[in-house]
Every structure is written in structure tokens, then in C-alpha cells.
Amino acid sequence: MTTAEVTRGLGGPATGPVPQQSPVQGVPPVPGVPQHLSPPPYPQSTDHTAPAVTSDPAVPAGTAVPTNSVGLTAPAGTADPAGLVGGAGGAESLSGPASALPGQPAAFSPELARRDVPILHRLVNGHPLVWLDNGATTQKPRQVIEALAGFYGSANSNIHRGAHTMAREATEAFEAGRAAVARFLGAASPDDIVFVRGTTEGINLVAQSWGRANLGPGDDILVPVLEHHSNIVPWHMVAKETRARVVPVPLRPDGRIDLDAYADLLSMRTQLVALSHASNVLGTVPPVREMTALAHRYGAKVLVDGAQAVAHFPVDVQDLDADFYVFSGHKLFAPTGIGALYAKPDVLRDMAPWQGGGNMIESVDFTRTTYAPVPHLLEAGTGHISGVVGLLAALNWLTSFDRDAVTAYETALMAHAQQALATVPGLELLGSAPERIGVLTFTLAGHDPAGIAEWLDRDGIAVRAGHHCAQPALAHYGLASAARASLALYNTPEEVDKLVASLQQLQQAG
């Protein structure tokens, strides 16, 4: 099956989640950001047409070839690297390339995304890279790479406390990133957004700040079995301190949360429900809105781990009515070490600081400390400023595409992958929930997961092998480890077919 067929929705029946509508399809320019922090003109990429073929088919026109496996140079024609807030297609529009209607996102095909991502055009072991490890981290578009270079090359400064020009500019860019995250999540205000290193730190922040103050002996924290360790371990830690207890919510055989068991476990003892918006090992997309509404009937708060969800479909935290929502930038085409925590304003205002230092204070002497208001209260020290700049660029890039079209494409690609993998003798996919993202965790008879990953790597195909930081979910299927291929918007049916062909060859080789 070709990319064009999947793009037209011929990949099979829909198996992905119904997109949750967000009030914002694109992130518009932020007023007040200095002009030199806006993206420079890139004549070779003002639309998403395919680049000219070069002498090396693995390298698109306009992309300098890395001198080693990690080296990158700026694309040809880049006069100024300071593209801090650009979306796909360069400076012409932050909500889409020039071919889109004003204020409207561009149409989508995977080629439009692939031409922006330099690493997808490298060779691995003599083969074009097939990156199917998106659940672990996504690859970065050049707009993000150039935004980081631009910040350090022309705008590097600390934020909030400086009176000089560059401090003001860096602060404006940082707070523009906060506003963009708020719009991306459908939050009411940028003040509802706290920057963290990623989902793990965000959950730990909630556990240590909100959890210590609100959990006590006999209280229940409900956590589904499908959760990532980062949404289990912090609750174990705070439960031990507060003498609360972590209560697992079981799964059904197909990988869905057992909603009947969930309803039975909820009680007036339940203080928190911690659940993922999409599973990193099964791909399951739980009915978060309905589960949240039921938890709220008992007065419980709900924390949603959005790490695996935000890159695949629109999110509206107000529609979900989540009390907390957390995600990581590096799973959203942004740099590592940056993420965001959303919390409802009334909840956020009652949270005590979990770290002390600079940036989170109003005044300090040796008798007392007066704290700054949220969100700065929870952002002690110098934040990951360049990471926020990169996150802003990633959000602009992702939202420059029609998000519903992206979701539809990924759903069709997932269906094609399921059908294709079914042709591999001895391969068993884990989970068959009707609503899921493109996560394909599998076992192959006669082969351990690490050996599968090593074999695929010889063909330039990157997948993950191990317990995926979700040991309880694998234990549900009687497993300690498995292989996982995870899809993103830039993957193609041709890449899926390469995966399947390599696995078939592995079985034939014995």
C-alpha cells in the first residue's frame, strides 16, 4: 500500500480515537515578540512541495549533509539562524505555509512533514532510516533545530530579572512559549501553565506539592494497570509518606481499562485518579472525559498523563475537565528536557512550592520568604529557556497542519500496519482496544525482543525493546518484555512494509 492510498483513508477501518476538538488549530504570532526573533525567510521552504532530487536520494535538496552521525549544518539559503517562533513553511505564516488560506492550517500528507525533518534523510547501516521509535522520542523538524541555534546565536540571556534588551527579548520569547502551550491545550490562561523538564517531573511536582498536602491515611489513589512507571512510582512514594494507598484499576483482555471495576473502586476515600490519555505500550486511549466526570462525583482530582497523546490528536483540557494535565516536549517534536504541567487555577493557587530558590520569590531575608504568584512559584531557578523556544517552534510546526487530517492519516496508517503485521508468522500484537494511537507492541515466536530490535537495526529500522517502563501492563499479558514500533505523522506505509518484510526475513532465517 502506498502513502497516497493511506492518505486517502484506504488503510482500513478506523481504529484510532475520535479527535477531541481544540478551540485553536494553529498558534498565531505573539504580539510583542521582537522582529529579529521571528523566523527568517527560507526561500527553499515557503511551501510544502517536494524538494528537488539530489545526487544522494537519502538527502533532500537544501539540506547540508552531516559530517558524522550527529553533526548538522544549517540548510542552504539560511542567512540568519534566529528562527525562534516559526512554524512549518518558514516566515510567511505561523499557522501554515503560503498555500493555506489565511488563518487556516495547511492540508496534510507525510511528505510535507518529512521534508522538514533532517534526520529522516540519513542512512543507518547503509539503509534509509525508518524511525519507528516515536513512543520513546520524536525526531525534530529543522524549524526546532534552527530555533535553538537562533536563540543561542542571537538572543541568549537569562529571563525575568534583567533590564537589558536581550533579557527582555528572552523573557518575551519564554512567555510567548507559555502562551502557546496554553492555547495548544485549550487552557483559559497562560498562568495555568508551569514549565517542567517533562511528564515525569510534572507528575512528581503534583505528587510532592498537591499530594503531600491533600493525601492522608486511608486515602486512595486509583491508577490503571496500563500506566507508565512515571505515573505509578511518584504515587508509591507519596503514599508511603502520607499512609495513603495506590489502588490498581484492572484491564480487560483487549487492553481497555475495566470501567466497571473502575466505578466499583471509586469511593469517598478516592482523592486522586492518575491515568494516561494514551498508553505508551498498548496505544489504548481511555475515555478520559467520562472517567474524570465519574471521579469528580466523589470529589476526587484527576491527573492526566498526556505524553503519548498530544502529538496524535487535539487536546482541550477544559473540555476534559482535568485537574492536572502533563506532557513532554520531546514526544511532541520539541527538545528534550522541557515539558508543561497544566492545573486548574483554583488547584494551582493552593499548591505549595516543591523547590526553593531564585525566580519563585518576591522577597527574601533571614526571617522569612515571600513567594511569587503561580506559575512562577513552581519554577524555581533558571528554567530551560532554549527548550521553551524549541517547544514554541514545535507547536507552531505541528499546528501548521490540519490536526484532524493528521489524526485521520495516522488512524489509516495504523490500520494498514495491523493488517500487514498479521502476515508475519508467529507475530502477536498486544492489545486491541478500538480507540488507540499508533503503538504496535508485539512478540515474535522464537525470538527475544532485544534480538528483534538488533535484527531490524541492520535494515535501518529503529524500534524499542524491553519493558517500556510499563511492567504492570506487560505483566497483564504474562510478559516481561516486548518489541514496540510506534508511529508518527511523518511515517509512511512504505516504511511499515519495510518493517514487515524485515520481520518476515527474520522468521525465515530462523
Side-chain angles (χ1 to χ4, degrees):
M1 181 170 290
T2 65
T3 300
E5 290 173 324
V6 171
T7 304
R8 289 198 301 270
L10 301 181
T15 59
V18 176
Q20 302 199 31
Q21 296 299 318
S22 173
V24 177
Q25 292 285 354
V27 181
V30 179
V33 174
Q35 182 62 38
H36 84 273
L37 299 188
S38 297
Y42 296 98
Q44 81 282 10
S45 57
T46 53
D47 59 40
H48 284 301
T49 56
V53 176
T54 66
S55 58
D56 182 349
V59 180
T63 301
V65 180
T67 56
N68 54 53
S69 62
V70 296
L72 287 174
T73 57
T78 302
D80 178 359
L84 302 189
V85 295
E92 302 227 355
S93 170
L94 292 184
S95 59
S99 58
L101 294 174
Q104 296 296 317
F108 177 76
S109 74
E111 290 83 2
L112 304 183
R114 292 182 67 84
R115 72 184 304 274
D116 282 337
V117 184
I119 204 169
L120 297 181
H121 306 287
R122 67 161 287 181
L123 300 178
V124 173
N125 295 323
H127 299 274
L129 171 64
V130 177
W131 184 257
L132 297 176
D133 197 15
N134 296 287
T137 196
T138 53
Q139 298 300 344
K140 318 310 175 192
R142 61 167 182 80
Q143 289 86 343
V144 171
I145 298 167
E146 292 165 5
L148 297 177
F151 174 76
Y152 285 122
S154 68
N156 181 46
S157 173
N158 213 324
I159 57 174
H160 293 150
R161 297 176 293 279
H164 54 76
T165 297
M166 288 176 60
R168 291 195 301 271
E169 292 173 352
T171 299
E172 288 166 355
F174 189 84
E175 294 304 329
R178 194 189 307 274
V181 171
R183 288 192 294 272
F184 182 73
L185 294 180
S189 168
D191 290 342
D192 302 340
I193 304 300
V194 178
F195 283 123
V196 289
R197 288 186 301 157
T199 303
T200 299
E201 184 171 81
I203 295 173
N204 275 275
L205 189 163
V206 175
Q208 294 301 315
S209 178
W210 180 90
R212 282 180 171 177
N214 291 277
L215 296 172
D219 288 339
D220 287 348
I221 307 164
L222 300 192
V223 182
V225 169
L226 58 71
E227 295 304 310
H228 189 281
H229 294 167
S230 64
N231 206 18
I232 300 174
V233 178
W235 306 118
H236 279 314
M237 294 169 67
V238 76
K240 184 176 181 180
E241 293 181 28
T242 61
R243 296 170 61 196
R245 64 174 188 163
V246 177
V247 180
V249 181
L251 300 181
R252 297 176 61 177
D254 64 0
R256 285 182 291 175
I257 295 173
D258 187 330
L259 296 180
D260 291 335
Y262 171 69
D264 289 342
L265 289 169
L266 283 167
S267 72
M268 298 308 296
R269 295 190 305 273
T270 307
Q271 297 300 311
L272 181 77
V273 175
L275 73 158
S276 61
H277 205 168
S279 166
N280 76 305
V281 73
L282 301 177
T284 304
V285 177
V288 171
R289 185 188 300 105
E290 291 77 7
M291 293 179 70
T292 298
L294 189 56
H296 284 167
R297 293 182 188 176
Y298 292 88
K301 303 294 188 219
V302 177
L303 179 143
V304 182
D305 172 355
Q308 297 291 334
V310 288
H312 297 287
F313 51 85
V315 172
D316 185 339
V317 292
Q318 293 188 84
D319 181 56
L320 294 174
D321 200 25
D323 299 285
F324 307 98
Y325 196 98
V326 197
F327 73 88
S328 299
H330 76 98
K331 298 182 190 294
L332 187 66
F333 316 104
T336 54
I338 188 64
L341 162 68
Y342 158 83
K344 286 182 176 179
D346 57 333
V347 178
L348 197 59
R349 282 193 299 269
D350 290 339
M351 290 173 64
W354 76 311
Q355 294 179 327
N359 195 59
M360 49 78 69
I361 58 89
E362 289 288 357
S363 65
V364 176
D365 60 32
F366 280 97
T367 60
R368 66 171 186 165
T369 298
T370 302
Y371 298 129
V374 291
H376 306 294
L377 173 70
L378 300 173
E379 295 177 343
T382 297
H384 188 5
I385 305 167
S386 64
V388 173
V389 169
L391 177 58
L392 173 55
L395 294 179
N396 285 339
W397 181 76
L398 178 60
T399 56
S400 71
F401 301 117
D402 184 321
R403 295 297 308 280
D404 291 339
V406 169
T407 300
Y409 171 75
E410 290 187 8
T411 298
L413 183 63
M414 175 66 169
H416 170 66
Q418 290 173 303
Q419 293 167 3
L421 287 168
T423 67
V424 180
L427 187 146
E428 292 190 15
L429 283 173
L430 302 187
S432 56
E435 293 195 356
R436 58 189 299 186
I437 59 170
V439 172
L440 301 145
T441 301
F442 62 92
T443 59
L444 191 62
H447 301 279
D448 69 276
I452 295 170
E454 290 173 1
W455 172 276
L456 293 172
D457 184 58
R458 298 173 189 175
D459 291 333
I461 302 168
V463 301
R464 181 84 13 183
H467 56 61
H468 312 294
C469 294
Q471 289 175 312
L474 287 179
H476 175 72
Y477 293 94
L479 298 170
S481 65
R484 181 189 69 187
S486 45
L487 307 173
L489 77 172
Y490 43 56
N491 289 125
T492 66
E494 292 83 2
E495 290 181 318
V496 169
D497 293 344
K498 288 181 181 179
L499 168 70
V500 171
S502 186
L503 290 171
Q504 289 173 338
Q505 291 169 4
L506 175 59
Q507 283 295 64
Q508 292 169 4

